[in-house]
Amino acid sequence: MSISILSSKLQIPPLRPNLVPRSRLVTHLNAGMHRKLTLISAPAGFGKTTLVSSWIAVSKRPVAWLSLDERDSDPSRFLTYLIAAIQTIDADIGQWAGEAFQSGQQPSVEAVLTSVINEIAVIQADFWLVLDDYHLVDSPEIDAGLEFLLDHLPAQMHLVITTREDPQLPLARLRVRDQLTEVRVVDLRFTLDESAEFLNQAMGLSLSAQDVDALEKRTEGWIAGLQLAALSLQRHTNTQQFIDAFTGSHRFVVDYLLEEVLRQQSPIVRDFLLQTSILDHLNGSLCNAVTGRDDSQHTLETLERSNLFLIALDDERGWYRYHHLFGDALRNTLNSEHPDQVLVLYRHASDWYVEHDQPQEAIRYALLAEADERAADLIELTWQEMDSNYQSGAWISQVQRLPDDLLQRSPVLCAGYGWMMIYQGAFDSSERWFQRAEYWLNTEVREDMRVADTFQFEMLPASLSVARAYRAMALGEVQMTLYHAQLALDQVGDAEHMSRTQAMSLSGLVQWANGELAAADDTISSLIDYMERFGRLADALELMFIVGDIRITCGALRSAYSLYQRGFEMLRTAPPGINLIGQEDLYRGVVDIYREWGDWNAAEDHLVAAEELGAMAISRPDWPHRLNLTAARLALSQGNFDQALALSEAAQQHYSPSPIPPVRSAVSVMALVWIQQGNLSAAAKWARETALDEITYLTEFDHITHARLLLAQGASDMLHPLLKRLLLAAQAGGRTGSAIEILTLQALAYHANGDTSAALLPLEKALILAEPEGYVRLFADEGVPMSILLRNAIKQGITPDYAQRLLASIDGSSPQTVEAQPLIDPLSERELDVLRLLRTELSGPEIARELVISLNTFRTHSKNIYSKLAINSRRAAVRRATELKLI
């Protein structure tokens, strides 16, 4: 032939020693052998050629191999090498084409391939043709010829292409016809196990699982990146220091990416890559704004097809991001070559996000652009929304990045900062910021003052009054709370501002703390209705546990349960994407009802759900206290005394003053545990150190705990007068739940003195009050003494059916008061698919990916499942479905 053949281009690359086996990919490739084309498309350094070589080694099939380069873009040269590769399978193939080339003729690509296809048809054995590095070929004529070859591919032949960018072939058509097997970046990335084997076996390192995990995440499974890291680690004495610092600015990574990627791009593409590297996420419009171009969407699509380390973030190819290390390397190059452009590019990004109403991203890029005054204005404008959505932690981190002088000149920011201090329990620090805000309200010299949100500035007096009411309530100063709350209502006037509902909430909390439970229920329930009506679901949910606790104290368990179910229904029907901080207290609060009803499974399920959701409650320092206290009471009722003690100690450690009245203290729960354990000396010490004088609503739990101690000590002379006073106070305050417990203690006290007849009188009253609400554990937790009293009650005809059920609970069978609901509506096939995966360890996003649906669609299916099964948590859904034999 007229072209000299370089034999090395036809040789299969040898396998490296210590190769990491990729059996999952080989299995995938083997499964696609009935198709015409296998396409392996990924950026540089993802092991495409190595994968095909190892596949060939295990397949034992005849292979024609052709390693391509830029010179093969000439059709004659490409066809010459193509025929030479196939001749390694059968030397007689391509004789006509060879003679035509030698004679100086230039037959068309289609004519040559027609001849070759006809000659291949007589070959008996199956074989593969591998075209390695096809991205280096730039010829529409060759692309068309390859399409012709695929359209008429002989049955004996299978085509394999490796490339850094998708070839100009009818891939969509091949995909629809099931004629295409694809291996892409997501497949080629090393898994965690593969990364460990590569680093520790192939590269001879001895990294811990934690170090391997860190490198795998940093490189995103990019094999070349892992190799570069390993080569450097072999020369590095401090492994941990290197891993912590390993980024795209590392010289090996930069050198590789510059050599393999950046220097091969046109100047226009290179500039685009560098300028857009400052963005975490990219779309056409945003990139246009940053670069000043008008073709960014087309450029992004071209880069994606070229596999240029660009990752699509949605199915519509609207948003992308760069591979982490590639993005790091681009930014490092930009800072090195064009440092004067960086702040300008960040400012352009901030402008775009402002125009597209995405303030958080706008703020972030303004801060990166060192545009402090612009960032301050944006932060101020987001204060009310972020405060309403309980995002104080994120907001305060933004404010802390502003210069102090700028912050001091911004009264709205000062007030907001003070509020954030209050949420963290830093009451003294908060007052300093409030006083600074007040300075600007009281001075006539305002030339240096900065205000971006004029409405918030006008509402500052009301906001500051609410803040002081909040502080007073947290410190137990009830009268000052009422004063400042009323002042806030007067100051807000007719304006629609969150200060109004905050002041009303605090008034309701004052009523709660004062024991005015009916009034508190009315006040806070009205606020819940108002907030739900205006779509403030997080605020409504946050208040529900307060009303639930009030109703439990009043003995209205079923009413409290209905309220919680209303909250769960709000969760199920809430629009996706809404921040529903407060729902953790919904799950936690209902635990007390399930505990009292003896439904351990439901109680534990909801407690677990509360713990998981509580991870979002970082801006509420009082949350761990409430969670641990509820868990402690559940453990105590279940007889797990050591666990109950540990949980109540944890609750005490996490106590933080807040406006929520301390109805039950952790140390009093600890005292209950000691009494149950028989550690009366520890409980007596608690009694001596606790102020047990006047009986009020806030001290009632302490006094009842003291009564239990006196009962255990046999101090009946002190016990009976105390119980009488407690009962009168509870009845006068409408606290029927407390009254039932006190009556029960009276019965136990008479029983302890051997007076069964006298004991049955308060017990009968307690049973009559308790039966309609389904009380179980209040009686069952008293054990053998209560068992004896209940048997006597049955003999006397006192609520015999109810007493018999309570006896069964004491004996160990725990009846379910809230019966399982029947299936409201059959589950759809898709909902059944979701339900089956809910039983696995997969997270919500992982389930969505498994089912190839969006996360919002997964959430919709989950809500439907919960509604139809009449449950509120994932664990409960699985258990209920198992009971119904749905899974």
Side-chain angles (χ1 to χ4, degrees), residues 587-588 591 602-612 627 630-631 634:
Y587 282 89
R588 181 200 59 79
V591 169
E604 290 166 358
D605 285 348
H606 285 77
L607 187 63
V608 168
E611 288 176 316
E612 293 172 351
L627 177 67
T630 298
L634 177 60

Side-chain angles (χ1 to χ4, degrees), residues 769-796:
L769 291 172
E771 182 176 15
E773 300 297 332
Y775 279 85
V776 174
R777 299 314 309 177
L778 189 145
F779 300 96
D781 289 351
E782 302 301 339
V784 174
M786 181 54 64
S787 177
I788 295 170
L789 285 175
L790 288 172
R791 287 189 173 90
N792 279 282
I794 293 170
K795 291 177 183 177
Q796 297 295 323

Side-chain angles (χ1 to χ4, degrees), residues 240-480:
Q240 191 60 53
Q241 184 183 61
F242 172 82
I243 290 173
D244 291 343
F246 182 68
T247 67
S249 62
H250 191 275
R251 64 184 183 87
F252 284 135
V253 177
V254 171
D255 290 347
Y256 182 91
L257 291 173
L258 287 175
E259 184 66 32
E260 292 291 326
V261 180
L262 276 184
R263 288 176 187 159
Q264 298 183 26
Q265 307 306 315
S266 67
I268 293 176
V269 171
R270 190 176 189 275
D271 286 345
F272 179 88
L273 291 170
L274 293 177
Q275 291 171 351
T276 57
S277 68
I278 60 110
L279 301 170
D280 287 341
H281 301 103
L282 308 92
N283 75 5
S285 174
L286 174 56
C287 291
N288 283 342
V290 169
T291 63
R293 301 166 56 131
D294 60 4
D295 63 344
S296 295
Q297 185 61 38
H298 173 73
T299 302
L300 288 169
E301 292 171 0
T302 301
L303 292 175
E304 185 193 13
R305 286 195 299 271
S306 301
N307 277 323
L308 205 60
F309 291 92
L310 191 68
I311 299 169
L313 299 178
D314 54 46
D315 295 336
E316 292 76 26
R317 297 306 196 262
W319 286 92
Y320 300 84
R321 73 167 174 86
Y322 290 122
H323 183 286
H324 292 321
L325 287 178
F326 186 54
D328 287 345
L330 290 175
R331 282 187 292 276
N332 186 63
T333 305
L334 175 67
N335 285 316
S336 174
E337 296 181 1
H338 307 288
D340 55 317
Q341 291 186 15
V342 176
L343 296 184
V344 177
L345 295 170
Y346 281 134
R347 179 61 185 259
H348 289 333
S350 180
D351 291 342
W352 186 89
Y353 277 111
V354 169
E355 292 172 6
H356 289 78
D357 194 26
Q358 297 186 49
Q360 294 309 307
E361 289 298 305
I363 290 168
R364 196 170 71 80
Y365 284 106
L367 290 169
L368 289 169
E370 299 178 9
D372 294 328
E373 292 191 352
R374 174 184 180 79
D377 290 346
L378 293 170
I379 292 169
E380 182 174 318
L381 290 167
T382 63
W383 172 38
Q384 182 170 8
E385 181 180 359
M386 294 190 73
D387 187 30
S388 298
N389 289 326
Y390 304 93
Q391 295 176 305
S392 60
W395 190 84
I396 203 169
S397 67
Q398 295 170 347
V399 176
Q400 288 171 338
R401 294 181 62 182
L402 297 173
D404 187 66
D405 173 66
L406 180 59
L407 178 56
Q408 295 282 349
R409 292 187 289 114
S410 306
V412 176
L413 289 179
C414 287
Y417 201 96
W419 264 108
M420 302 312 162
M421 293 291 99
I422 273 191
Y423 292 148
Q424 295 176 7
F427 299 121
D428 292 339
S429 298
S430 68
E431 185 59 27
R432 180 171 68 88
W433 291 101
F434 293 145
Q435 290 176 3
R436 184 60 184 173
E438 281 181 325
Y439 166 80
W440 293 109
L441 290 172
N442 297 329
T443 184
E444 296 180 359
V445 183
R446 295 182 174 177
E447 288 82 0
D448 293 334
M449 183 179 75
R450 289 190 58 83
V451 171
D453 192 332
T454 55
F455 178 66
Q456 290 300 327
F457 180 71
E458 293 169 0
M459 291 294 105
L460 270 187
S463 179
L464 295 174
S465 293
V466 170
R468 283 166 175 148
Y470 185 108
R471 179 181 185 274
M473 190 65 197
L475 298 177
E477 300 169 356
V478 174
Q479 292 307 313
M480 289 300 293

Side-chain angles (χ1 to χ4, degrees), residues 473-498:
M473 190 65 197
L475 298 177
E477 300 169 356
V478 174
Q479 292 307 313
M480 289 300 293
T481 302
L482 288 174
Y483 169 77
H484 286 297
Q486 185 57 52
L487 182 59
L489 291 173
D490 294 339
Q491 290 167 330
V492 80
D494 296 329
E496 277 298 322
H497 190 260
M498 63 188 302

